[in-house]
């Protein structure tokens, strides 16, 4: 577990520094952050970006700090400490009386990675030779922008083949909000094929995607197995950044490219707020491209008009 690992690493540092974790100060936590940000990278020493050659990524450091913060929250709750050395930021006065809270590590917000058209075709070429279960999982994950947990938790009664709708139950989502989203006709064909195959594994209602391994035969497919399958496809296709979440990112970006409004994208994705959906608008560069085109069209027209006026003036002088 990442959180357990994060706490274990912090406790190891305290042991190395001969510091009792229950009495550690903010300086000790800062030392831990410094170590996380400078430790040698497994990818080599050729640093071309902050998180490309040395140290953990910003998101990973944030995750490591969460486990340490929760540890001290527990100590404070139990009365073993008076304060939390990690904290949740400090107030910084703003120019108009407002302000912001800055954490121990400044959070960097990056756009999600999506494959190029060529990389996507390579993934699809490899997936074409996969069993129908794997092909259906990839198709549904893309069509309905499903997270890995949402996909693997689907049940047979969550699907409405007649209307080509899938229900994502609230307990399987991050926002704890249920939603119903459509899927394509091509995915519907794959679903029909898979249901015929699934009947040879089990006719019982329940989990849609079933394991066919000897150890867990006819049991719901685990998240770990799903990740392993996608990882194998990514490696074979030579697109190693492709993951179980990539199809969701790609779908939402494609919706933004097609002109969907941010509120519609947020509803489709199951986001509580539009801020998360805005990433895909930015990633698609739809608004920027449209504004750029409109702006350039106006500038172009003005420049041509000036040239035309210049030509008429020159003709009159002749």
């Amino acid at each position: 577990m990442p959180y357990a690992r994060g706490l274990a690493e912090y406790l190891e540092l305290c042991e190395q520094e001969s510091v009792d974790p229950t009495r550690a100060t903010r300086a000790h936590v800062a030392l831990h952050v410094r170590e996380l940000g400078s430790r040698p990278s497994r990818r080599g020493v050729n640093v071309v970006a902050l998180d490309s050659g040395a140290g953990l990524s910003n998101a990973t450091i944030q995750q490591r700090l969460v486990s340490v913060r929760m540890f001290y929250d527990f100590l404070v709750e139990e009365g073993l400490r008076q304060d939390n050395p990690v904290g949740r930021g400090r107030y910084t006065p703003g120019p108009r009386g407002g302000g912001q809270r800055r954490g121990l590590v400044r959070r960097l917000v990056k756009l999600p990675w999506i494959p190029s058209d060529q990389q996507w075709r390579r993934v699809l070429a490899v997936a074409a030779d996969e069993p129908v279960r794997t092909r259906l999982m990839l198709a549904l994950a893309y069509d309905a922008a499903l997270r890995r947990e949402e996909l693997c938790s689907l049940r047979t009664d969550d699907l409405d083949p007649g209307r080509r709708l899938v229900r994502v139950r609230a307990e399987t989502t991050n926002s704890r909000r249920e939603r119903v989203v459509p899927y394509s006709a091509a995915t519907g064909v794959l679903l029909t094929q898979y249901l015929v195959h699934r009947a040879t594994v089990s006719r019982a209602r329940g989990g849609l995607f079933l394991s066919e391994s000897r150890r867990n035969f006819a049991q719901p497919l685990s998240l770990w197995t799903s990740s392993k399958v996608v990882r194998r496809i990514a490696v074979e296709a030579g697109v190693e950044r492709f993951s179980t979440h990539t199809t969701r990112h790609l779908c939402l970006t494609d919706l933004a490219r097609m002109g969907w409004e941010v509120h519609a994208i947020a509803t489709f994705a199951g986001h509580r707020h539009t801020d998360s959906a805005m990433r895909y608008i930015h990633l698609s560069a739809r608004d920027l491209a449209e504004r750029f085109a409109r702006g350039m069209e106006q500038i172009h027209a003005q420049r041509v008009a000036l040239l035309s006026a210049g030509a008429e003036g020159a003709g009159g002088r002749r």
Side-chain angles (χ1 to χ4, degrees):
M1 293 289 292
Y3 292 107
R5 183 190 310 162
L7 180 57
E9 289 178 345
Y10 173 71
L11 295 178
E12 183 179 349
L13 178 135
C14 289
E15 183 178 357
Q16 292 173 355
E17 297 293 321
S18 301
V19 176
D20 182 354
T22 63
R23 293 178 171 80
T25 65
R26 191 176 179 87
H28 297 111
V29 178
L31 179 64
H32 179 53
V33 172
R34 215 161 32 241
E35 191 276 329
L36 293 175
S38 61
R39 64 173 51 173
S41 172
R42 296 179 180 178
R43 288 175 287 184
V45 297
N46 184 22
V47 182
V48 295
L50 179 63
D51 59 353
S52 66
L56 300 178
S57 69
N58 180 266
T60 303
I61 293 177
Q62 296 284 352
Q63 184 187 62
R64 295 288 198 273
L65 278 181
V66 168
S67 58
V68 180
R69 182 185 297 118
M70 292 173 63
F71 169 68
Y72 282 112
D73 280 344
F74 171 77
L75 295 183
V76 171
E77 185 177 347
E78 293 296 314
L80 300 176
R81 279 188 67 103
Q82 296 297 319
D83 63 338
N84 189 326
V86 179
R88 287 171 172 79
R90 62 180 182 275
Y91 182 78
T92 303
R96 298 182 179 177
Q100 60 180 344
R101 291 188 175 273
R102 294 182 179 177
L104 193 61
V105 178
R106 181 167 295 182
R107 186 178 297 275
L108 303 179
V109 180
K110 298 183 178 181
L111 292 177
W113 176 84
I114 60 171
S116 65
D117 289 343
Q118 182 181 10
Q119 290 172 324
W120 178 239
R121 283 194 293 268
R122 293 211 306 264
V123 170
L124 293 180
V126 174
D129 296 327
E130 291 290 315
V132 65
R133 184 191 69 188
T134 300
R135 286 183 283 136
L136 174 61
M137 291 183 73
L138 285 173
L140 266 179
Y142 171 76
D143 268 355
L146 299 179
R147 300 179 179 91
R148 180 186 61 170
E149 292 79 1
E150 296 169 347
L151 179 67
C152 292
S153 300
L154 286 178
R155 299 174 58 85
T156 52
D157 55 357
D158 290 332
L159 294 161
D160 182 352
R163 299 180 181 179
R164 294 206 302 270
L165 297 174
V166 56
R167 178 171 65 100
V168 185
R169 286 171 285 116
E171 61 269 23
T172 68
T173 68
N174 287 348
S175 62
R176 295 297 182 261
R177 293 184 176 185
E178 184 171 296
R179 66 185 191 275
V180 177
V181 290
Y183 57 87
S184 66
T187 299
V189 173
L190 284 173
L191 175 62
T192 300
Q193 296 174 359
Y194 173 68
L195 290 178
V196 172
H197 173 74
R198 184 186 182 281
T200 65
V201 179
S202 173
R203 293 184 176 273
R205 292 180 177 273
L208 176 62
F209 298 109
L210 303 180
S211 171
E212 297 181 35
S213 68
R214 293 182 179 179
R215 178 181 299 180
N216 301 310
F217 189 79
Q219 296 299 311
L221 195 69
S222 68
L223 302 179
W224 174 244
T225 301
S226 172
S227 295
K228 286 199 301 183
V229 171
V230 172
R231 177 60 182 169
R232 176 174 51 77
I233 293 174
V235 171
E236 188 174 344
V239 188
E240 297 198 6
R241 296 189 67 180
F242 190 91
S243 69
T244 54
H245 217 61
T246 301
T247 47
R248 175 176 168 84
H249 291 323
L250 184 58
C251 172
L252 298 179
T253 303
D254 284 345
L255 294 181
R257 287 168 174 167
M258 289 186 289
W260 280 41
E261 296 301 326
V262 63
H263 292 283
I265 295 175
T267 301
F268 190 91
H271 291 148
R272 283 183 177 272
H273 308 289
T274 58
D275 293 349
S276 298
M278 279 299 298
R279 297 186 303 168
Y280 303 100
I281 297 290
H282 295 319
L283 188 60
S284 71
R286 175 172 59 86
D287 288 354
L288 293 178
E290 290 178 356
R291 292 178 185 177
F292 179 79
R294 289 196 300 267
M296 288 302 294
E297 183 178 358
Q298 294 174 0
I299 293 173
H300 180 74
Q302 292 173 1
R303 295 189 188 281
V304 172
L306 290 174
L307 290 173
S308 300
E312 292 176 0
R317 288 194 296 272
R318 291 178 182 176

